[in-house]
Amino acid sequence: MKHIWWIPISILLLSGCVPSGNDEAEVINTEQDEVETAIIPSMQLDDQYYRTLLPYKQSATRGKIVSRLNSRYDIKEAEHGLLRLSQQQFSPDDYYFQEGQKITDEEASLWLQRESKDNPQGLNPEDGRSQAETDEGERPQPELLAHILEQNYLVKTEEDKIRLGGVSIGLAMNTVYYNSSDNIPYEETIPQDQIISEGKRMADEIVKRIREKEGMGDVPILVALFAQNSRNAMTPGTYFSYGAAPKGETEVANWNDLDEAYVVFPTSGTNEQYRDIDTAFRNFKQDVEVYFSNFTSVIGKGFYQNGQLQELKIEIPIQFYGSAEVIGFTQYVTGLILDHFPDDVQIEVNVTSTNGAEALILRKAGETEPVVHIYE
């Protein structure tokens, strides 16, 4: 088990990670009018994080995301991105988070399949080929919908009870369709306009189906469309549009376009938008190489919103193991962060080795001193 060496640049407060004796116990009613006791943590780590009711309830569709999305990058961003968008509709100050409880596993399985006579609930386009066309090797229409992600947001009533206050739905759309014909794999790129139009159609249909459930007539529903990346991509896909169905509405009332992108640094592209950060990253990488030559690579992943870099995560795998060497290297890298990157960008550096995590450096946007800790 690794211990933590604290570097006095700053201190990471851990009290929010452990149960507090001041947690509030609330009584909630289930759909069956049974009475349950839930714990609402009194500690909120950050204003961007939702407090989560305990005991934790998993979604019925939890396991499906692993098999239906292309990479762990897409899995993480589909969940975290929906949380980020939900904050605009359901404030973390007023709402508590719970994994989706309304869409059942059976419903999700049917909705994710192709529409057919046997399954009219399918949201993906029907095959449509005749037997002769199938025999001749004609390819089916690509499946567009990869996964349905549900998140629930709860509020406390005046009677100090908890009720459902909102639902967020994320629709993960395929940008590339992977299939095989005569045991020969192929891939088909799906046009962006088709992803947008079909995603919005599916969103309205899902809202209608959720409205038919007991108690869901007046619950606001946010729906966001996620374009997952290809299987071999080093970055995740992103949400590209979202909208909300207000209380009682059976369709999404308005759609808002999103401008988000993940970029790997150093980049081989020629996009002027990324040039300044790419130059800063290359200089940072070069300085690391000057100090220590026995590392494998330095990779950065930047998150852009509306053309502006919001966060840069840097991975530095190393091959040395001495504690003094790790401390010296971490101190040096911390100085490089302050020298090379602008203050308005959150920077996270993870130093790792074959033994696992060696050091973490985190500087939040707008702050001058980073948080640093070293594992031994």
Side-chain angles (χ1 to χ4, degrees):
M1 181 177 181
K2 293 197 172 187
H3 303 288
I4 298 178
W5 287 65
W6 298 99
I7 294 181
I9 295 175
S10 187
I11 298 176
L12 178 65
L13 298 178
L14 298 177
S15 59
C17 302
V18 296
S20 167
N22 296 323
D23 287 346
E24 307 170 33
E26 301 288 350
V27 178
I28 62 175
N29 292 324
T30 66
E31 292 180 357
Q32 292 78 25
D33 292 328
E34 298 172 354
V35 176
E36 293 181 356
T37 299
I39 297 174
I40 301 175
S42 59
M43 177 65 70
Q44 187 174 4
L45 297 181
D46 193 290
D47 58 9
Q48 65 177 313
Y49 295 128
Y50 289 95
R51 285 185 286 174
T52 302
L53 296 183
L54 302 174
Y56 192 83
K57 288 187 177 182
Q58 294 185 355
S59 170
T61 63
R62 182 181 179 88
K64 281 184 166 55
I65 194 171
V66 176
S67 61
R68 296 194 62 88
L69 293 193
N70 289 334
S71 71
R72 61 184 177 87
Y73 303 121
D74 280 326
I75 293 172
K76 183 176 180 180
E77 180 58 21
E79 295 179 337
H80 288 195
L82 187 59
L83 277 168
R84 185 172 62 249
L85 291 173
S86 297
Q87 293 169 12
Q88 302 179 36
Q89 184 80 15
F90 313 114
S91 170
D93 294 333
D94 304 317
Y95 290 82
Y96 309 107
F97 173 83
Q98 187 176 69
E99 286 193 12
Q101 304 294 312
K102 294 302 178 181
I103 300 176
T104 66
D105 182 68
E106 180 181 4
E107 286 173 332
S109 296
L110 292 174
W111 296 359
L112 290 169
Q113 294 175 20
R114 291 184 182 275
E115 181 182 3
S116 65
K117 292 181 180 179
D118 295 331
N119 180 27
Q121 294 291 303
L123 292 172
N124 273 304
E126 62 180 342
D127 191 319
R129 295 176 298 171
S130 66
Q131 187 60 52
E133 291 171 332
T134 302
D135 294 340
E136 291 173 1
E138 184 171 326
R139 295 175 178 177
Q141 295 187 63
E143 293 186 9
L144 302 176
L145 180 62
H147 184 62
I148 302 171
L149 179 67
E150 178 194 354
Q151 295 173 352
N152 291 167
Y153 294 93
L154 313 176
V155 291
K156 184 164 60 175
T157 68
E158 294 180 356
E159 294 78 21
D160 284 339
K161 295 182 179 180
I162 297 294
R163 65 171 176 82
L164 182 65
V167 172
S168 289
I169 301 293
L171 302 185
M173 309 296 292
N174 290 322
T175 58
V176 180
Y177 177 55
Y178 297 94
N179 202 356
S180 61
S181 179
D182 294 329
N183 295 320
I184 300 175
Y186 70 89
E187 57 186 66
E188 181 178 346
T189 300
I190 303 173
Q192 178 69 10
D193 57 353
Q194 185 180 6
I195 296 172
I196 294 172
S197 61
E198 284 299 291
K200 292 180 178 180
R201 179 190 66 81
M202 294 175 185
D204 287 341
E205 181 60 33
I206 289 175
V207 168
K208 291 176 184 177
R209 295 178 184 183
I210 292 177
R211 286 282 183 240
E212 294 173 355
K213 294 178 177 289
E214 183 178 356
M216 293 302 297
D218 290 327
V219 176
I221 302 173
L222 179 141
V223 185
L225 305 181
F226 178 81
Q228 70 164 332
N229 218 335
S230 59
R231 288 178 177 175
N232 58 352
M234 294 181 62
T235 57
T238 56
Y239 282 94
F240 60 88
S241 188
Y242 75 98
K247 295 180 180 180
E249 297 294 329
T250 57
E251 295 181 352
V252 177
N254 60 320
W255 286 98
N256 303 277
D257 293 334
L258 293 168
D259 179 11
E260 298 183 347
Y262 284 90
V263 180
V264 174
F265 294 105
T267 178
S268 58
T270 59
N271 195 325
E272 287 286 339
Q273 179 181 345
Y274 311 132
R275 175 166 293 182
D276 290 345
I277 294 299
D278 187 57
T279 300
F281 184 85
R282 289 176 186 272
N283 292 335
F284 168 84
K285 183 176 183 293
Q286 186 177 37
D287 285 347
V288 172
E289 292 172 348
V290 168
Y291 193 82
F292 281 119
S293 60
N294 57 339
F295 71 96
T296 55
S297 63
V298 179
I299 298 294
K301 293 182 181 179
F303 175 58
Y304 282 79
Q305 283 183 318
N306 300 318
Q308 298 296 317
L309 181 64
Q310 303 296 319
E311 181 181 38
L312 177 62
K313 292 186 177 181
I314 301 173
E315 300 288 336
I316 306 179
I318 58 177
Q319 298 176 358
F320 47 81
Y321 308 102
S323 296
E325 200 170 12
V326 171
I327 292 173
F329 179 69
T330 303
Q331 290 175 329
Y332 177 66
V333 170
T334 302
L336 294 182
I337 291 172
L338 300 177
D339 291 340
H340 288 293
F341 299 113
D343 295 339
D344 59 348
V345 176
Q346 177 167 307
I347 308 293
E348 177 183 318
V349 179
N350 289 282
V351 181
T352 61
S353 72
T354 54
N355 290 338
E358 297 288 353
L360 168 67
I361 307 167
L362 176 64
R363 191 201 64 188
K364 291 189 175 182
E367 297 185 359
T368 57
E369 290 193 357
V371 172
V372 180
H373 55 220
I374 294 177
Y375 306 93
E376 184 180 348

